[in-house]
């Protein structure tokens, strides 16, 4: 049967390379068709997928907060299929020549965009990542090796088997999508060292997972996700605008990486404004932790510890610090942020320029919520993740982040003098 | 004294970050001026530098082939200074906005090019890398932490001290250029794990060094250099052109990564052509190693072993294989190459397209020598190295490879629905 997969990573790597060679040459209409066939197959397999998911839910011993991430419903299965159809419609990121020129020696050089080859993903208990990742890597011409959390193993197996059958049904290589079904750490570690076959490894999940991958992997990694995001309310802020943005960035979806975790407030507005803002945040269920100056203004805040300034809560908690000016805000942010998304609320142009120039982060905002750091909101039509490193891709990553380039050079006999 | 450096890597990392923040804001005219001051300082310190280099040469126990790389002369010191002046004149890679757009939510997003921050270089016994790397990282707005080979320690110390004095003399931070002067492996290993401060680590040197860095480092690495480059002579080749290109690619500078190491020759031209080409290569001092089919035509070749096909000789040695067609050449190359530079010699357009489409390498040539894979020959005006990985940069890297981007977003109070 074509869906029997091995957990021999060398064999999986070879199979992925072979599938990637086919995918790299596949015209976009064929990729569109395949993604739609995959979507149909997911819908057709809804019962099987939900039954497998129920097995995972029955066996789950994880934090109930995470059960919701693990749970699939008919609507969520439909969302996964819809996601595949959406990705099908996006422009093919490899159908592009970035630039070209003729050198002094008369060589014609073109820089073409090509797939990376083999992408590996290590993620946690969200089974939708299995389908998302398969769709995005397929559209960009890459084979994928997936390693999801053991909590979602049955769900992931059902999903991967469905996608592999769909590929086989239209004579495409099933090994474009492979799932590691042995959930041991040893195999994840081996995947992180599969340099011969893996072109990039993208971890998706919490800080613990990402750190472990960064510390362990010898294959190239794109670090994603951790977001200790700050909002600085300047002395020249529109305070009503600031209120709306702070509430939105903290409260609208506190569990995600682009939620705000820290509030820095200019001393000249803090006395009058912080009590109002604090009351509003608390009315939204937010626990506040303050530095000494913030607690002098709102005395019933918990005292923030040194650790707080470096913590991504992913929860309805916010630490508050009073700062003297924009430079103090910038210094604090650069010392504590995770290079994700940072905001200044101000109507002072010089302050806004200084903040955007000097804050070191993927996304630096003036007068908007951190929650816009998102491939869809940026208009990319897709999101592989949000890179918090500086190499290759920084900030929200669309399909382009799953490609590289190749120089194609044509001469007429040139040799080097 | 401002040039006293520590070998405490945490302190060096902090100092580098601080210097990088200054450099990132430095206008290009100031960077040009500083690079010219550094060049003047190198010239002025020629005697000191040569004396230090003599100490290294006196103590050298390395392979005499490498002594030439270690040796400095008045002319080579002048070349280093000239290199700094050249880099000064190049366009500032951070003076650029890559793109911008307005999102559906009315946010204005611009993607600005910015320095990486702190670049680390680990290299071997070429003291010129100290000055090259300092110049290139400075021009692109980055601080650099250098760790050269112990064979060149005195030379590197003299050079780094000179550059640091030059920076101090014009009130710029000396810590933009730092050299690790403790040559122990432990410190190199610590540098490879300095994730808090190092944004990218670029190893320059032989395969052993690069492998060690890739296997050990947790900081992001750009892999450079290894070149097991092939030339495939097609049945539709201009054989006289092929001869010139093969000789040039193999002989003109055999020790470098873009020299050709392997000759693949189409069976239909091999009988008549290989004896001629083999004689010519041997006349240039090249030792040939052949597969069975090549040795059936030129019997006095050494038999190539399995290992030969994966070896970068960096020497006047070439392995020869007879293949049936362009697909066989492509399959062999993709199984054995290091993704550096590959050539087809042909006048058949379909063969040339197939070769360029299917060969997986940074640079894929038609009818030209592998030796053109070079930042200068590509017209970049500089070269940091040649990336053989697919993330961030692939092929010859100019100053752009030392930059990343930052999204700057301006709104007027947008919050996420």
């Amino acid at each position: 049967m074509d869906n029997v997969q091995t957990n021999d990573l060398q064999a999986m790597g070879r199979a992925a390379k072979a599938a990637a060679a086919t995918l790299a040459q596949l015209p976009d209409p064929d990729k569109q068709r395949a993604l739609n066939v995959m979507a149909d197959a997911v819908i057709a397999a809804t019962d099987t997928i939900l039954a497998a998911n129920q097995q995972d839910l029955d066996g789950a011993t994880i934090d109930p907060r995470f059960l919701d991430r693990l749970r699939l419903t008919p609507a969520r299965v439909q969302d996964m299929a819809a996601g595949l159809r959406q990705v099908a419609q996006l422009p093919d990121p490899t159908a592009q020549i970035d630039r070209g020129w003729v050198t002094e020696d008369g060589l014609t050089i073109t820089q073409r965009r090509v797939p990376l080859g083999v992408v590996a993903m290590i993620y946690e208990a969200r089974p939708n990542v299995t389908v998302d990742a398969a769709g995005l890597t397929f559209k960009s011409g890459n084979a994928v090796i997936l390693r999801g959390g053991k909590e979602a193993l049955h769900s992931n197996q059902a999903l991967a088997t469905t996608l592999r059958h769909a590929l086989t049904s239209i004579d495409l290589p099933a090994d474009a999508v492979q799932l590691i079904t042995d959930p041991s750490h040893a195999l994840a570690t081996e995947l992180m060292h599969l340099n011969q076959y893996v072109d990039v490894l993208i971890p998706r999940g919490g800080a613990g997972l990402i750190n472990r991958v960064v510390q362990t992997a010898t294959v190239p990694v794109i670090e994603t996700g951790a977001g200790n995001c700050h909002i600085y309310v300047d002395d020249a802020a529109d305070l009503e605008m600031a209120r709306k943005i702070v509430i939105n960035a903290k409260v609208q979806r506190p569990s995600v990486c682009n939620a705000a975790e820290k509030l820095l407030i200019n001393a000249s507005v803090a006395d009058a404004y912080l009590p109002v803002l604090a009351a509003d945040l608390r009315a939204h269920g937010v626990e506040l932790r303050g530095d000494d100056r913030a607690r002098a203004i709102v005395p019933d805040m918990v005292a923030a510890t040194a650790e707080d300034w470096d913590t991504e809560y992913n929860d309805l908690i916010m630490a508050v610090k009073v700062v003297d000016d924009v430079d103090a805000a910038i210094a604090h942010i650069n010392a504590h942020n995770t290079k994700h998304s940072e905001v200044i609320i101000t109507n002072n142009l010089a302050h806004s320029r200084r903040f955007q120039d000097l804050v070191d982060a993927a996304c630096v905002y003036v007068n908007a919520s951190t929650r816009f750091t998102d491939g869809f909101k940026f208009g990319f039509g897709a999101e592989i993740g949000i890179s918090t490193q500086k190499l290759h891709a920084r900030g929200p990553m669309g399909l382009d982040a799953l490609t590289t380039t190749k120089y194609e050079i044509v001469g007429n006999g040139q040799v080097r003098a």
Side-chain angles (χ1 to χ4, degrees), chain A:
Chain A
M1 173 183 141
D2 46 64
N3 273 287
V4 174
Q5 256 196 221
T6 160
N7 278 310
D8 172 350
L9 280 187
Q10 292 291 324
M12 290 178 82
R14 276 193 301 277
K17 272 283 175 221
T22 301
L23 263 56
Q25 302 304 315
L26 205 62
D28 190 53
D30 294 350
K31 290 196 278 197
Q32 293 188 37
R33 174 169 169 246
L35 286 161
N36 287 321
V37 169
M38 287 192 247
D40 294 341
V42 167
I43 295 290
T46 300
D47 291 348
T48 312
I49 292 164
L50 292 179
N53 185 246
Q54 191 58 51
Q55 277 189 277
D56 286 331
L57 290 168
D58 291 345
T61 55
I62 52 177
D63 184 334
R65 269 202 305 167
F66 293 98
L67 271 186
D68 182 58
R69 297 182 181 177
L70 175 56
R71 188 185 317 278
L72 294 178
T73 63
R76 285 182 176 182
V77 172
Q78 280 174 12
D79 284 349
M80 289 193 280
L84 290 170
R85 292 189 213 283
Q86 270 172 21
V87 168
Q89 299 308 313
L90 292 175
D92 182 344
T94 66
Q96 189 175 313
I97 291 178
D98 281 9
R99 56 182 181 151
W101 68 99
V102 179
T103 71
E104 289 185 352
D105 297 295
L107 297 170
T108 302
I109 302 183
T110 50
Q111 188 175 19
R112 264 181 71 176
R113 204 146 274 283
V114 296
L116 284 168
V118 177
V119 176
M121 303 272 301
I122 297 185
Y123 50 106
E124 297 180 327
R126 294 178 187 266
N128 65 304
V129 174
T130 303
V131 177
D132 280 4
L136 295 166
T137 51
F138 188 88
K139 178 73 185 191
S140 47
N142 297 287
V144 70
I145 299 177
L146 300 161
R147 198 278 190 186
K150 64 176 184 306
E151 302 81 3
L153 186 59
H154 295 98
S155 311
N156 289 337
Q157 276 185 300
L159 291 165
T161 301
T162 302
L163 298 176
R164 287 167 60 83
H165 270 302
L167 288 167
T168 307
S169 74
I170 48 174
D171 293 326
L172 288 174
D175 289 334
V177 179
Q178 295 183 87
L179 176 75
I180 297 176
T181 56
D182 172 349
S184 69
H185 274 297
L187 234 63
T189 302
E190 195 183 337
L191 180 62
M192 296 183 215
H193 291 91
L194 205 63
N195 293 58
Q196 195 183 345
Y197 300 112
V198 173
D199 293 294
V200 63
L201 169 58
I202 305 179
R204 292 273 306 259
L209 169 69
I210 289 164
N211 266 334
R212 191 160 57 84
V213 169
V214 168
Q215 292 301 318
T216 308
T218 55
V219 301
V221 170
I222 299 180
E223 199 174 336
T224 64
N228 182 22
C229 306
H230 299 73
I231 297 180
Y232 165 60
V233 179
D234 191 40
D235 53 340
D238 173 334
L239 295 177
E240 174 56 15
M241 181 195 289
R243 192 186 63 78
K244 287 183 182 158
I245 289 173
V246 171
I247 297 292
N248 181 259
K250 180 68 255 178
V251 169
Q252 196 241 359
R253 200 169 169 206
S255 66
V256 293
C257 64
N258 62 14
E261 305 288 18
K262 303 292 169 334
L263 172 66
L264 306 180
I265 186 160
N266 188 287
S268 69
V269 297
D271 279 339
Y273 183 58
L274 185 53
V276 180
L277 191 52
D280 200 355
L281 282 163
R282 284 170 165 169
H284 283 87
V286 178
E287 175 194 334
L288 296 175
R289 302 179 185 178
D291 73 344
D292 289 345
R293 293 170 78 182
R295 294 176 72 224
I297 300 168
V298 181
D300 58 339
M301 274 187 212
V302 179
T305 64
E307 198 189 352
D308 272 295
W309 306 116
D310 295 312
T311 299
E312 181 184 12
Y313 304 117
N314 288 136
D315 205 348
L316 286 173
I317 303 170
M318 189 167 224
V320 184
K321 185 180 180 69
V322 175
V323 295
D324 285 325
D325 54 23
V326 65
D327 282 342
I330 293 166
H332 179 85
I333 290 170
N334 284 342
H336 298 283
N337 78 343
T338 54
K339 317 296 180 204
H340 193 298
S341 299
E342 309 299 340
V343 174
I344 182 174
I345 316 287
T346 191
N347 282 318
N348 180 304
L349 182 59
H351 292 182
S352 77
R353 288 306 311 146
R354 192 159 176 82
F355 190 86
Q356 288 193 312
D357 276 350
L358 295 181
V359 167
D360 186 15
C363 300
V364 189
Y365 290 84
V366 178
N367 296 341
S369 169
T370 50
R371 291 277 296 114
F372 287 102
T373 298
D374 174 301
F376 297 95
K377 284 289 161 191
F378 267 48
F380 298 164
E383 184 182 282
I384 320 296
I386 296 169
S387 165
T388 51
Q389 69 177 34
K390 293 181 180 178
L391 286 197
H392 187 65
R394 195 178 193 200
M397 296 185 286
L399 288 171
D400 269 2
L402 294 176
T403 66
T404 180
T405 62
K406 174 201 272 190
Y407 287 114
E408 294 186 349
I409 304 114
V410 179
N412 52 11
Q414 281 87 344
V415 296
R416 186 151 170 186

